[in-house]
Each structure stands twice: as C-alpha cells, then as structure tokens.
C-alpha cells in the first residue's frame, strides 16, 4: 500500500461504519499537480464540519515539516474561523 494510505483506508472504514457523511479530497500529489492544494484528506459532517488530515510515521513524533505549507495555512485559517481541524497520526512502529 502507498505511503500514507493505510491510515486513510482505516479512517474511511470508520466513517462508513459510523454512517458519517464524508468527502475525500483529491490528492494533489497523485493527480499530477493538476489540482490546487487541498485543505485536508477528508471533510466529515457529524453534523458539524470537521477537516481531517491523516499522517503516518515510523518516528516517535511528527514535525511541521511533514505538512505542506498549504495544509498549515488551511489549519490556521479554518481554526481561526472556529472550524474543527484534526490531524490523526498512525505511528507505524507501534503496530
């Protein structure tokens, strides 16, 4: 499985199991950079909107360098507006 896709798959399965409405943003990288930067991996309605970014690592922590500048900007801008934005981290060494 591609880097970072295991956690995205697990999140998608959880959203379906919980019967939540969700939208997977197209991945700018996999689309050959033809798309503008996306704010996160998912938008989930619970019924409030929640943006979710999935990150996988084999390290004990995740640094800001793991995020694209457009993702960091989206995090700042959306949370300033009161929108919930979560980063879910899968520490692969602990599996």
């Amino acid at each position: 499985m591609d880097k970072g896709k295991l956690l995205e798959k697990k999140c998608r399965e959880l959203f379906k199991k919980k019967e939540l409405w969700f939208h997977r943003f197209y991945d700018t990288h996999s689309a050959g950079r033809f798309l503008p930067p996306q704010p996160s991996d998912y938008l989930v309605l619970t019924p409030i909107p929640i943006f979710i970014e999935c990150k996988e690592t084999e390290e004990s922590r995740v640094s800001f360098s793991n995020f694209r500048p457009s993702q960091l900007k989206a995090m700042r801008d959306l949370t300033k507006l009161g929108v919930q934005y979560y980063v879910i981290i899968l520490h692969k060494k602990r599996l």
Side-chain angles (χ1 to χ4, degrees):
M1 186 167 285
D2 289 343
K3 181 180 176 186
K5 300 302 177 192
L6 174 62
L7 181 56
E8 289 176 14
K9 180 179 182 236
K10 289 184 175 294
C11 284
R12 195 169 39 252
E13 290 169 354
L14 177 65
F15 302 152
K16 287 179 181 178
K17 181 179 178 183
K18 297 291 184 180
E19 298 182 355
L20 297 172
W21 184 94
F22 67 95
H23 173 75
R24 168 70 168 102
F25 289 105
Y26 285 106
D27 190 314
T28 305
H29 179 72
S30 65
R33 306 224 183 264
F34 290 113
L35 296 173
Q38 303 298 310
S40 64
D41 290 318
Y42 290 101
L43 172 61
V44 181
L45 298 182
T46 65
I48 61 170
I50 299 173
F51 287 84
I52 296 177
E53 177 63 28
C54 301
K55 293 291 182 191
E56 292 182 24
T57 183
E58 293 186 8
E59 305 300 321
S60 60
R61 63 188 184 100
V62 174
S63 75
F64 284 112
S65 65
N66 292 92
F67 298 91
R68 292 186 304 276
S70 61
Q71 291 174 318
L72 294 171
K73 182 178 182 335
M75 286 179 208
R76 283 190 303 271
D77 292 349
L78 290 166
T79 54
K80 280 182 186 176
L81 293 170
V83 177
Q84 294 186 26
Y85 192 117
Y86 294 99
V87 176
I88 300 174
I89 301 167
L90 173 65
H91 293 277
K92 292 169 84 172
K93 279 189 178 177
R94 297 181 184 185
L95 294 179

